[in-house]
């Protein structure tokens, strides 16, 4: 088995129809067929690549080949966004009358699918405390079809015991899906713990340059075929140029992730002792209540940390204003550091009450980029000290 960097540079080679070193961009909506038989074949080929771009495109197949290899799964597919990956999979796997289990701490869009979208379609949902493996068992019912987990969770960095959830689900014939956006396949591969489908907001680390919206799904071919069929109807098609940019971004994922990991760890350690900070959420800290579990299932802890300030929302907001390198932005996972106040960010997707249940008001999510570690730490410490000084004067 070649190393991860070799995989990201070569895993798509078999899906290249010509000898170009850098893959061409297939900026075409459709492909032609030689004869009626080939044409008819193209219309039914799951995860094909040369019938109609909504049905698949060589640039999709190339990006998907790398995702599957990195996640260690039989198959993968790419979509127009992370949310397109999630909604397409959920629509493929559940029907009216079914029940879905999700987590209390998860990306706001995922929470909104569970609380607002699925109930409208006649699918009941239960959100559980993911730090308690018993809670998943307690929520299981006769109509449970799917369990959605996210670990580490956005933005509280809570950890889900992937093996415990996968074993429970297998025993009850329930499908599991894990959002692996925060960890990346470099730090954690849910399939190794028995999770059926792994999905990503490829907008984040997989692409890594904050210039593409994309999603990815990885898992066994039979499940991916079902999701693919629904994807033909949801039309969650990734543009060929964006698929090309995603592939290009993934080439350097194994080079970027170690730096993100180092920056996240250094920032968490530096900020946890600062007097302006009441708590740092980062699975790489020994003080994280699930540090042992995180260490068991992850080989690195990523670039995202949650920081809670002693002065609540006002102090958190002032901190964001004082950061020089981390800009105020809703994304993460790119080479540039970004920071955000999650309680403000999700108001388009969740009600005020749903947000209050999900995140503390004084929490900042800091997503370390790949800048030099010492620069990011000095910047964050200076901003924390500045807000403390301002609070003392006020
Ligand atoms: C951003 C994000 C998503 C949504 O992905 P999009 O690409 O924005 O649609 C899903 N899960 C997590 C953990 C995220 O951070």
């Amino acid at each position: 088995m070649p190393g991860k960097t070799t995989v990201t540079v070569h895993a798509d080679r078999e899906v290249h129809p010509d000898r170009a070193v850098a893959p061409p961009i297939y900026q075409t909506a459709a492909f032609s067929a030689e004869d009626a038989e080939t044409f008819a074949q193209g219309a039914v080929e799951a995860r094909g690549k040369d019938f109609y771009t909504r049905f698949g495109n060589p640039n999709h197949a190339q990006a998907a080949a790398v995702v599957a290899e990195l996640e260690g799964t039989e198959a993968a597919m790419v979509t127009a966004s992370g949310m397109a990956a999630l909604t397409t999979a959920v629509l493929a796997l559940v029907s009216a009358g079914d029940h879905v289990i999700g987590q209390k701490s998860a990306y706001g869009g995922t929470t909104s699918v569970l609380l607002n979208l699925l109930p409208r379609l006649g699918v009941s949902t239960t959100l559980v405390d993911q730090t308690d493996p018993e809670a998943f068992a307690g929520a299981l019912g006769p109509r449970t079809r799917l369990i959605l987990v996210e670990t580490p969770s956005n933005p509280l960095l809570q950890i889900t015991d992937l093996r415990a959830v996968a074993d429970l689900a297998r025993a009850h014939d329930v499908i599991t899906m894990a959002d692996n956006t925060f960890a990346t396949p470099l730090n954690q591969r849910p399939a190794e713990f028995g999770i059926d489908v792994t999905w990503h907001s490829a907008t984040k680390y997989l692409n890594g340059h904050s210039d593409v919206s994309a999603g990815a799904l990885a898992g066994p071919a039979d499940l991916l075929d079902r999701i693919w069929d629904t994807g033909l109807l949801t039309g969650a098609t990734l543009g060929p140029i964006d698929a090309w940019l995603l592939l290009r971004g993934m080439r350097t994922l194994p080079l970027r992730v170690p730096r993100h990991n180092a920056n996240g760890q250094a920032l968490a350690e530096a900020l946890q002792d600062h007097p302006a900070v009441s708590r740092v959420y980062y699975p790489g800290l020994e003080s994280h209540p699930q540090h042992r579990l995180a260490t068991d299932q992850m080989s690195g802890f990523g670039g995202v940390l949650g920081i809670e300030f002693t002065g609540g929302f006002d102090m958190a907001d002032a901190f964001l204003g004082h950061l020089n390198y981390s800009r105020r932005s809703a994304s993460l996972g790119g080479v540039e550091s970004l920071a955000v106040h999650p309680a403000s960010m999700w108001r388009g997707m969740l009600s005020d009450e749903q947000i209050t249940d999900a995140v503390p008001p004084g929490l900042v999510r800091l997503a370390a980029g790949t800048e030099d570690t010492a620069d990011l730490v000095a910047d964050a410490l200076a901003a924390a000290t500045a807000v403390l000084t301002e609070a003392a004067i006020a």
Side-chain angles (χ1 to χ4, degrees):
M1 177 71 183
K4 301 291 183 206
T5 315
T6 309
V7 161
T8 60
V9 178
H10 296 288
D12 56 305
R13 279 226 316 242
E14 289 203 352
V15 211
H16 289 210
D18 60 37
R19 300 170 59 80
V21 169
I25 301 172
Y26 291 84
Q27 191 62 30
T28 178
F31 300 82
S32 63
E34 292 284 308
D35 50 49
E37 201 184 319
T38 324
F39 183 78
Q41 179 63 30
V44 296
E45 190 190 352
R47 291 175 288 107
K49 55 183 190 299
D50 49 11
F51 178 68
Y52 184 67
T53 283
R54 175 157 52 81
F55 285 53
N57 177 293
N59 296 115
H60 296 163
Q62 290 154 7
V66 171
V67 172
E69 200 72 24
L70 288 179
E71 289 289 359
T73 59
E74 193 181 359
M77 61 182 268
V78 291
T79 56
S81 65
M83 287 313 294
L86 176 68
T87 52
T88 300
V90 167
L91 288 177
L93 302 175
V94 302
S95 304
D98 289 346
H99 173 244
V100 177
I101 300 172
Q103 299 179 169
K104 285 188 176 150
S105 175
Y107 173 67
T110 303
T111 305
S112 189
V113 165
L114 287 160
L115 292 182
N116 305 325
L117 180 68
L118 288 178
R120 276 209 286 116
L121 305 179
V123 176
S124 61
T125 59
T126 308
L127 303 197
V128 300
D129 171 1
Q130 80 205 68
T131 64
D132 173 14
E134 307 282 301
F136 289 93
L140 267 184
R143 298 302 305 265
T144 307
R145 284 282 164 282
L146 180 64
I147 302 180
L148 297 180
V149 298
E150 178 180 319
T151 182
S153 70
N154 183 355
L156 291 179
L157 287 304
Q158 291 185 353
I159 307 298
T160 311
D161 187 331
L162 290 171
R163 197 184 305 278
V165 171
D167 287 351
L168 173 78
R170 284 272 154 90
H172 293 86
D173 218 11
V174 170
I175 295 172
T176 47
M177 281 182 60
D179 183 337
N180 204 31
T181 301
F182 268 36
T184 84
L186 271 295
N187 287 329
Q188 167 178 279
R189 285 162 301 283
E192 288 175 0
F193 301 94
I195 293 292
D196 296 309
V197 177
T198 298
W199 69 283
H200 284 270
S201 169
T203 313
K204 315 289 171 52
Y205 289 104
L206 291 189
N207 175 64
H209 295 76
S210 307
D211 52 11
V212 159
S213 267
L217 290 146
D222 60 337
L223 278 177
L224 265 283
D225 286 354
R226 283 169 66 188
I227 299 171
W228 174 273
D229 285 344
T230 300
L232 299 184
L233 309 182
T234 57
T237 314
L238 185 61
I241 290 181
D242 288 351
W244 186 91
L245 280 168
L246 171 58
L247 177 65
R248 179 187 172 128
M250 284 192 296
R251 304 285 198 212
T252 55
L253 182 71
L255 284 78
R256 288 183 276 113
V257 167
R259 177 63 72 87
H260 286 294
N261 289 343
N263 284 349
Q265 186 75 36
L267 283 165
E269 284 173 9
L271 286 166
Q272 72 170 343
D273 297 323
H274 195 281
V277 173
S278 54
R279 185 167 167 193
V280 172
Y281 301 75
Y282 186 73
L285 289 179
E286 273 173 37
S287 60
H288 189 287
Q290 297 172 287
H291 179 64
R292 276 281 305 275
L293 175 60
T295 306
D296 284 348
Q297 61 189 29
M298 304 177 79
S299 55
F301 305 105
V304 183
L305 52 148
I307 313 159
E308 229 176 306
F309 286 87
T310 54
F313 171 78
D314 290 342
M315 199 183 258
D317 188 54
F319 174 77
L320 290 176
H322 279 290
L323 291 169
N324 275 321
Y325 293 123
S326 306
R327 277 168 291 169
R328 205 188 286 260
S329 171
S331 198
L332 62 99
V335 292
E336 58 289 287
S337 291
L338 299 176
V340 75
H341 177 238
S344 309
M345 173 173 60
W346 290 345
R347 300 183 82 170
M349 301 188 294
L350 292 169
S351 68
D352 287 353
E353 200 189 328
Q354 288 168 342
I355 288 175
T356 310
D357 286 349
V359 277
L363 185 81
V364 162
R365 184 186 76 193
L366 182 56
T370 56
E371 299 93 333
D372 292 283
T373 309
D375 293 332
L376 292 187
V377 169
D379 189 33
L381 286 178
T385 299
V387 294
L388 202 62
T389 314
E390 283 166 7
I393 294 167

